Each structure stands twice: as structure tokens, then as C-alpha cells.
């Protein structure tokens, strides 16, 4: 346990879920992609073995006392397993160079067995990471896995620009591809839930910055509901995140059946709190780039303070978080300040006395 | 409305309504009727694309709509362009555009390219995952007025600053404006690395390019 805390993250989460008092607000700077920095590993080193990935997460927890360990199955896993070619950068998340599916009409030729644990080495690696984290740390801190939702999974198989055109011009085959990826994701989620991970369901390509609400309702929400149900049937818990501007689909995202809703910094936290009411707990939304990468300690403190002031009274609870996964050149000192500020402004009972001194 | 105006309206509406096949067909009929290609492009296709970008700005249209509108515009351009009189290309402002090395997310870049071409810029598209030196080499070779770079990844943002340093070393920084954009990019970041401008979306990028290059 971090020396400045009085409860472990596991005790804090249990208190949060059952409405019991806790020492401070839950705080999750999403230290996933960049976590190797906490122990001097590049992203390539971190992603090369399950032991390294687990070690990077534990190093973050030891330094920051953040409330969740996160394995990085990532956004491109489905495409990679199906044959999308990736770059292999030293200190960055790999990017897609070639797509497994060139022609959407070939969707029927995709082989579902490639997504199985037996055939997908990366899937095995990240599942192993979760197992290590749960075994070593499970009594003290919960473990999650960052993993793509259906629309983003599709975009790792078939180029996004073509995918967008297909939402008008080839709906039939696009729905087939969504069906294929959704069925694949169900099995993948089940394995992670079975190993004890909370699902951090991320679907950035479904962002309002890229698609309209109409497209979201037609191509994303139906598959998302199925996946949320699958996670619950497996006994799991899920936090739903879409990057960018999701203002127009906040209620739809809640309707998916998620257990928690996470929003990016482009969305108004206070307004979202009012819109979701008592339906689900809310996570957000310190700006990952402007504040946590480019900002200084004072800006981090003010941003954390503002988030807590805006959302601490969310009817179903509030968890302080960064607006998105942290990647790239994040000064670790900024995450120290993030957590210190969470302890200061999020000290229980949270209220104006914490910031009006 | 005269016959020519009717054609121009059909071209413009066809772009706005994403009717790729009809636009191509209408362009051919327009040429066959003996009207000049240049007017068809400016008063028809580009007019339609400008209306589409206006709708995008008003959040009536989304990325998908703009892509499909541009498909219709390019289908028409393929037919009209060969019939343009000899290029007056010298008067066009030139730009080099691409997604910086390490990143392959290129929808935003493609939208910006479409909008800039519509606005009359001559763009050289280097694609995605572009080696940084290539921005500088191409700008020099094409005698470009600006370099436009985008990225969606925080880990590849730094490449933009490197390109600016490379331009300085090559002695080209004074003559080439640098415009940047993409998910994690901001005005603050543009200021930090010494870029000439940042824009949040493709429509703004055109206004920015015009402002930086003193085009009214």
C-alpha cells in the first residue's frame, strides 16, 4: 500500500461498490501504454513478455498508489491475430501497416480459429500478464485489461476510411465483419474475465469525432450490448470508454449495459454527470496530452481539483481518471502530482471543505 | 436558369448528395454540350465540396459524408481535368502533406488534403508513416509554400518538431510555413515546437493556410 494511503485499492473499490466510507476518492491515471517508464522499460520491452508487462504495472502502483493495474491487450489485437501487419517501434504503440482484409467482400474467408488462445500468441501473453498480476497483487489491487470494442476491432482488420464508406455502401458485409469480430471478442473477454480482470472496453473508432450518432446506433450499439451482456454472464465488470467527443451518445453508451462510463477530455464532465444521473459511476477526464504530458505540476493539480469539484457528487459515484490512456512522454512527476491532488481534494468525506480552505 | 447553370447546379448538388455516378455522367454531358471544364470544376464540383464542408462545420455532415462527397467530386474531376487548358500551375500555392513517421492514422490528413485541394492548393500527398526527412526533401524539390503534418499518436508528435529543425538546418524554414493537426495536437503544442499554425479540423485548416500564405 502507498505510504500516504490508509486503504488498499481493493478495499477502496469494495467500499465504493457497496457505498461504504473510504479514505479518499478512487484515482486511476490510465497508466497503461506508458507504464514501462516507471521502471525504465521501453514499450517494446514492456510488450515483449508477460513478466515485463506485469512488472511495469507493479512499478507504477508502487510509485503512484494508483487504483488499478492494467494489462494492454490493446486496440489492434483482433486485427493482428487475423494477419494485419504491424510496425514494431522501440518506444511507441505499434501502428497498422497493412490490413488483414483488403476487400470487404472477402469477409467470409476470415478464419475465426485465428482468434483462439491456442493460435494467438499475443492473446496468451496478455492473459498471462493478467494471471501474474492477479496472483501477485490480487489481494491488494484490482486488475483490468484494456481491450477494443467491436467497431475498433473491425478497424484493426479493415481500413477505417473504407469502413466508413461501407456504412453507406456495403452495410451487409460490414455487418458480417462486425458479427465476426463481436463473436471473437466474446471469447476473448470471457478468458480475461475468467482470469479475474475487469474489462476496460475501449472503442475509439466509434467516437463522435469520427461517426454520427445514427451510425453509432446502427453499427456500434447493438454489438456493444451483446458484448456487455456476455461480460456480465461471465461474471465480469466493465468500464466503457470511447475517445474524443462522445457528447451526443452519452445516454446510448449507458444504455449499452456498462457498469461504469469513462469520458475523454473533449466531453463536459459536469454536464455528463447530470445526464447519466444515478445510472452508472462516472470516470474522467483530466486531459492526457495538454495537462498530463505538456502541463506542469500546478496545471495538473488545478485540473484534478476541477474534475473532483465538478463530479464528486455524481449520484452513482465518481472515479478520478485521465481522459484516455497515457502514452508517450508523460513526466512521471505529473502522475505523482495527480495522485497527491487526488489525496488532497478527494479526501473523504469529499466536499467543499476540501477546496475552500 | 440557363442550360449551363443547370449543369453546374447538378454537379454541385451531386457532390453534396454524394451521387458519384451521377456526377461523372453529368460532367460528361456538360463537356459534350461544349461548356468549359474550368467552370464545371469551380462552379460545380468545388462549389458542391464547399457546401459539403459548410455542412460539416455546422455538424450536419460527418466524416463519412465528407469522404463520400469527395469521392463524387474526384469522380467528376477525373472527367473534367483532362479538358482543362494548359496548366496555370505556377500561380497555385503548393503544399506537402502527410502523417508523420510511426503513425498510420490518415483519415484526418485525407480530409485536410481534400479541403485544401478544393480551395485551390496544389498538394503533394506523401501518405502515412512518412519518414521525416521526406517532408523536407519534397518541400525543397516542389518549391512548396507549406508543409502540413498530422498524427493521432502522442508517441509520434515529436516528429513534427524534428521536421521543423530539419527545415532550419536546410535553410528552408523562412520560406515554408508549417501547419500541424491531429487528435493530441493543440495550439499550445504548435507554439511549443514553433509551428506556424494549428487547426482543429479540415475546414479550419483551409482558413489557416490562407491566412498564413496571405490569400484572401
Amino acid at each position: 500500500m502507498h505510504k500516504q494511503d490508509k486503504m488498499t485499492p481493493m478495499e477502496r473499490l469494495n467500499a465504493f461498490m457497496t457505498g461504504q466510507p473510504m479514505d479518499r476518492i478512487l484515482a486511476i491515471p490510465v497508466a497503461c501504454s506508458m507504464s514501462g517508464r516507471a521502471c525504465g522499460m521501453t514499450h517494446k520491452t514492456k510488450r515483449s513478455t508477460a513478466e515485463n508487462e506485469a512488472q511495469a504495472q507493479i512499478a507504477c502502483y508502487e510509485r503512484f498508489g494508483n487504483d488499478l493495474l492494467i494489462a494492454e491487450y490493446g486496440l489492434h489485437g483482433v486485427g493482428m491475430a487475423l494477419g494485419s501487419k504491424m510496425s514494431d517501434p522501440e518506444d511507441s504503440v505499434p501502428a497498422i501497416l497493412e490490413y488483414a482484409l483488403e476487400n470487404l467482400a472477402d469477409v467470409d474467408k476470415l478464419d475465426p480459429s485465428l482468434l483462439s488462445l491456442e493460435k494467438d500468441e499475443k492473446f496468451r501473453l496478455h492473459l498471462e500478464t493478467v494471471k501474474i498480476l492477479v496472483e501477485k497483487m490480487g489481494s491488494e489491487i484490482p486488475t483490468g485489461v484494456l481491450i477494443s470494442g467491436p467497431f475498433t476491432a473491425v478497424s484493426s482488420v479493415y481500413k477505417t476510411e473504407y469502413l466508413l464508406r461501407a456504412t453507406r455502401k456495403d452495410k451487409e458485409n460490414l455487418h458480417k465483419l462486425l458479427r465476426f469480430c463481436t463473436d471473437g471478442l466474446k471469447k476473448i473477454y470471457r478468458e480475461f474475465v475468467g482470469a479475474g480482470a475487469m474489462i476496460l472496453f475501449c472503442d475509439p473508432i466509434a467516437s463522435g469525432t469520427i461517426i454520427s450518432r445514427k451510425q453509432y446506433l446502427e453499427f456500434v450499439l447493438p454489438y456493444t450490448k451483446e458484448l456487455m451482456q456476455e461480460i456480465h454472464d461471465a461474471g465480469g465488470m466493465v468500464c466503457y470508454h470511447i475517445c474524443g467527443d462522445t457528447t451526443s451518445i452519452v445516454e446510448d453508451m449507458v444504455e449499452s449495459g456498462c457498469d461504469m462510463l469513462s469520458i475523454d477530455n473533449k466531453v463536459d464532465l459536469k454536464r455528463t454527470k447530470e445526464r447519466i444521473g444515478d445510472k452508472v459511476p462516472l470516470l474522467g477526464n483530466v486531459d492526457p496530452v495538454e495537462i498530463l504530458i505538456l502541463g506542469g505540476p500546478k496545471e495538473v493539480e488545478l485540473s484534478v481539483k476541477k474534475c473532483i469539484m465538478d463530479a464528486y457528487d455524481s449520484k452513482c459515484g465518481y472515479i478520478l481518471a485521465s481522459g484516455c490512456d497515457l502514452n508517450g512522454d508523460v513526466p512521471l512527476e505529473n502522475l505523482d502530482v495527480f495522485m497527491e491532488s487526488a489525496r488532497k481534494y478527494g479526501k473523504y468525506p469529499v466536499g467543499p471543505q476540501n477546496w475552500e480552505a | 436558369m440557363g442550360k449551363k447553370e443547370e449543369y453546374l447546379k447538378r454537379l454541385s448538388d451531386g457532390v453534396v448528395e454524394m451521387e458519384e455516378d451521377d456526377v461523372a455522367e453529368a460532367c460528361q454531358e456538360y463537356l459534350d454540350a461544349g461548356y468549359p471544364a474550368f467552370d464545371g470544376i469551380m462552379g460545380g464540383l468545388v462549389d458542391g465540396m464547399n457546401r459539403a464542408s459548410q455542412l460539416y462545420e455546422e455538424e450536419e455532415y460527418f466524416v463519412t459524408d465528407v469522404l463520400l462527397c469527395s469521392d463524387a467530386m474526384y469522380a467528376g474531376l477525373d472527367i473534367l481535368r483532362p479538358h482543362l487548358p494548359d496548366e496555370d500551375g505556377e500561380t497555385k500555392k503548393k503544399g506537402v502533406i502527410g502523417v508523420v513517421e510511426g503513425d498510420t492514422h490518415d483519415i484526418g490528413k485525407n480530409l485536410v488534403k481534400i479541403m485544401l485541394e478544393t480551395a485551390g492548393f496544389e498538394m503533394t500527398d506523401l501518405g502515412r508513416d512518412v519518414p521525416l526527412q521526406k517532408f523536407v526533401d519534397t518541400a525543397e524539390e516542389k518549391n512548396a509554400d507549406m508543409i502540413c503534418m498530422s498524427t493521432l499518436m502522442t508517441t509520434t508528435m515529436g516528429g513534427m518538431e524534428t521536421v521543423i529543425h530539419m527545415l532550419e538546418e536546410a535553410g528552408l524554414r523562412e520560406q515554408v510555413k508549417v501547419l500541424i493537426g491531429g487528435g493530441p495536437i493543440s495550439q499550445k503544442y504548435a507554439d511549443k515546437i514553433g509551428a506556424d499554425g494549428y487547426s482543429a479540423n479540415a475546414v479550419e485548416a483551409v482558413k489557416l493556410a490562407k491566412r498564413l500564405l496571405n490569400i484572401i
Side-chain angles (χ1 to χ4, degrees):
Chain A
M1 184 167 48
H2 194 274
K3 59 182 188 302
Q4 288 163 345
D5 285 327
K6 295 187 181 61
M7 294 171 84
T8 67
M10 195 54 104
E11 288 167 347
R12 201 173 287 120
L13 179 66
N14 286 333
F16 180 83
M17 299 306 287
T18 53
Q20 303 297 312
M22 48 216 249
D23 58 345
R24 64 159 168 85
I25 199 165
L26 282 158
I28 305 176
V30 186
C32 182
S33 308
M34 55 63 67
S35 56
R37 297 175 72 86
C39 56
M41 278 184 207
T42 64
H43 191 273
K44 189 170 182 170
T45 305
K46 180 191 89 101
R47 69 178 179 262
S48 64
T49 69
E51 289 73 20
N52 285 357
E53 196 181 11
Q55 191 193 331
Q57 281 302 311
I58 294 169
C60 281
Y61 173 62
E62 284 174 349
R63 172 159 177 167
F64 308 121
N66 50 318
D67 283 301
L68 186 66
L69 303 170
I70 307 171
E72 188 182 7
Y73 174 89
L75 304 174
H76 303 139
V78 171
M80 279 159 64
L82 293 172
S84 289
K85 301 269 184 301
M86 310 297 296
S87 63
D88 190 22
E90 187 56 49
D91 203 12
S92 172
V93 176
I96 303 174
L97 301 175
E98 282 173 43
Y99 290 82
L101 196 62
E102 286 285 320
N103 185 346
L104 190 54
D106 291 335
V107 58
D108 295 325
K109 295 181 191 159
L110 291 173
D111 176 2
S113 80
L114 293 175
L115 299 177
S116 66
L117 206 45
E118 296 71 47
K119 292 209 175 156
D120 183 356
E121 185 194 349
K122 298 286 185 223
F123 179 17
R124 285 201 300 276
L125 186 154
H126 299 300
L127 187 66
E128 182 58 26
T129 303
V130 167
K131 287 178 177 166
I132 295 171
L133 290 173
V134 170
E135 190 193 314
K136 276 195 176 169
M137 307 296 294
S139 59
E140 184 166 341
I141 173 168
T143 293
V145 59
L146 189 156
I147 186 162
S148 64
F151 209 62
T152 301
V154 162
S155 84
S156 70
V157 180
Y158 185 60
K159 196 171 189 304
T160 311
E161 195 175 320
Y162 304 153
L163 161 62
L164 293 181
R165 286 187 172 91
T167 63
R168 296 283 168 72
K169 299 202 153 173
D170 193 0
K171 292 186 184 198
E172 189 187 336
N173 280 321
L174 180 55
H175 277 295
K176 276 190 192 169
L177 181 56
L178 275 158
R179 167 54 48 212
F180 179 92
C181 289
T182 301
D183 290 346
L185 283 172
K186 282 183 184 174
K187 298 200 177 85
I188 296 168
Y189 290 167
R190 270 197 177 267
E191 291 289 344
F192 280 114
V193 170
M198 172 178 174
I199 302 291
L200 305 181
F201 187 117
C202 298
D203 213 355
I205 305 297
S207 169
T209 309
I210 303 175
I211 63 171
S212 66
R213 176 169 184 256
K214 187 164 169 277
Q215 287 169 308
Y216 178 83
L217 295 178
E218 187 174 353
F219 296 99
V220 184
L221 186 58
Y223 299 97
T224 302
K225 281 182 176 173
E226 268 187 47
L227 287 163
M228 297 293 178
Q229 187 61 49
E230 186 78 11
I231 294 165
H232 290 149
D233 289 348
M237 186 158 78
V238 50
C239 176
Y240 189 14
H241 177 80
I242 296 180
C243 304
D245 188 354
T246 50
T247 306
S248 69
I249 53 168
V250 163
E251 284 86 357
D252 306 315
M253 288 178 72
V254 172
E255 194 199 314
S256 73
C258 62
D259 300 301
M260 297 178 183
L261 180 74
S262 160
I263 58 170
D264 207 340
N265 59 285
K266 303 273 184 202
V267 188
D268 187 301
L269 188 63
K270 202 171 181 175
R271 177 90 190 86
T272 305
K273 170 190 77 179
E274 286 154 8
R275 285 168 68 186
I276 65 173
D278 61 359
K279 299 215 176 61
V280 286
L282 179 62
L283 280 83
N285 67 348
V286 177
D287 190 324
V289 181
E290 202 87 339
I291 301 293
L292 291 171
I293 295 183
L294 300 176
K298 196 68 204 166
E299 286 166 289
V300 175
E301 180 178 352
L302 290 175
S303 183
V304 166
K305 180 182 167 188
K306 181 169 190 323
C307 283
I308 294 176
M309 286 167 65
D310 282 348
Y312 79 98
D313 56 351
S314 171
K315 288 208 177 70
C316 201
Y318 168 65
I319 297 174
L320 173 71
S322 51
C324 200
D325 177 34
L326 298 174
N327 205 335
D329 215 1
V330 186
L332 299 181
E333 297 72 27
N334 278 354
L335 298 190
D336 293 331
V337 175
F338 183 101
M339 294 305 299
E340 280 161 24
S341 308
R343 293 182 184 105
K344 180 176 172 188
Y345 300 109
K347 183 172 181 280
Y348 261 60
V350 187
Q353 74 282 352
N354 283 7
W355 47 83
E356 281 174 0
Chain B
M1 196 165 14
K3 192 72 182 154
K4 183 181 169 190
E5 280 68 34
E6 272 175 39
Y7 270 122
L8 294 181
K9 184 172 186 304
R10 185 170 153 203
L11 295 185
S12 176
D13 289 351
V15 170
V16 174
E17 284 155 25
M18 308 164 224
E19 299 287 353
E20 193 177 334
D21 295 341
D22 185 60
V23 167
E25 199 180 298
C27 283
Q28 193 55 55
E29 287 175 29
Y30 172 86
L31 284 176
D32 292 345
Y35 299 117
F38 182 81
D39 297 354
I41 291 173
M42 296 314 293
L45 302 176
V46 169
D47 181 70
M49 203 61 218
N50 283 333
R51 287 164 61 202
S53 65
Q54 180 68 33
L55 289 165
Y56 176 68
E57 213 173 7
E58 290 163 4
E59 295 182 24
E60 285 286 317
Y61 270 19
F62 287 82
V63 174
T64 309
D65 308 286
V66 174
L67 286 174
L68 292 171
C69 289
S70 78
D71 289 346
M73 176 183 73
Y74 286 119
L77 280 175
D78 284 346
I79 298 194
L80 295 183
R81 252 189 200 144
H83 299 273
L84 280 175
D86 286 337
E87 276 291 334
D88 53 347
E90 285 309 303
T91 61
K92 278 191 171 182
K93 293 285 183 185
K94 292 176 188 160
V96 172
I97 190 167
V99 177
V100 295
E101 189 163 17
D103 191 2
T104 58
H105 299 91
D106 62 356
I107 290 183
K109 182 269 292 174
N110 291 345
L111 289 177
V112 172
K113 183 189 79 171
I114 290 162
M115 296 298 187
L116 286 170
E117 285 190 337
T118 306
F121 291 87
E122 186 179 321
M123 302 300 294
T124 303
D125 186 358
L126 300 177
R128 54 209 187 111
D129 193 17
V130 178
L132 303 177
Q133 186 64 46
K134 198 166 179 196
F135 282 101
V136 181
D137 293 347
T138 312
E140 184 165 23
E141 182 194 318
K142 300 273 175 186
N143 198 16
D145 303 287
M146 63 177 177
I147 289 177
C148 309
M149 291 181 280
S150 85
T151 186
L152 187 66
M153 293 166 67
T154 47
T155 43
T156 49
M157 286 161 70
M160 296 174 166
E161 186 171 13
T162 308
V163 169
I164 291 175
H165 292 318
M166 287 172 167
L167 279 173
E168 284 163 358
E169 278 162 27
L172 295 169
R173 185 67 188 92
E174 294 303 311
Q175 66 211 62
V176 181
K177 300 288 181 193
V178 176
L179 289 71
I180 61 173
I185 309 300
S186 61
Q187 185 61 50
K188 183 169 166 181
Y189 187 67
D191 295 342
K192 186 184 166 216
I193 66 168
D196 296 295
Y198 156 78
S199 79
N201 63 51
V203 176
E204 291 299 321
V206 172
K207 294 177 189 167
L208 174 67
K210 286 184 169 173
R211 183 161 53 77
L212 290 175
L213 296 174
N214 299 312
I215 301 166
I216 301 132

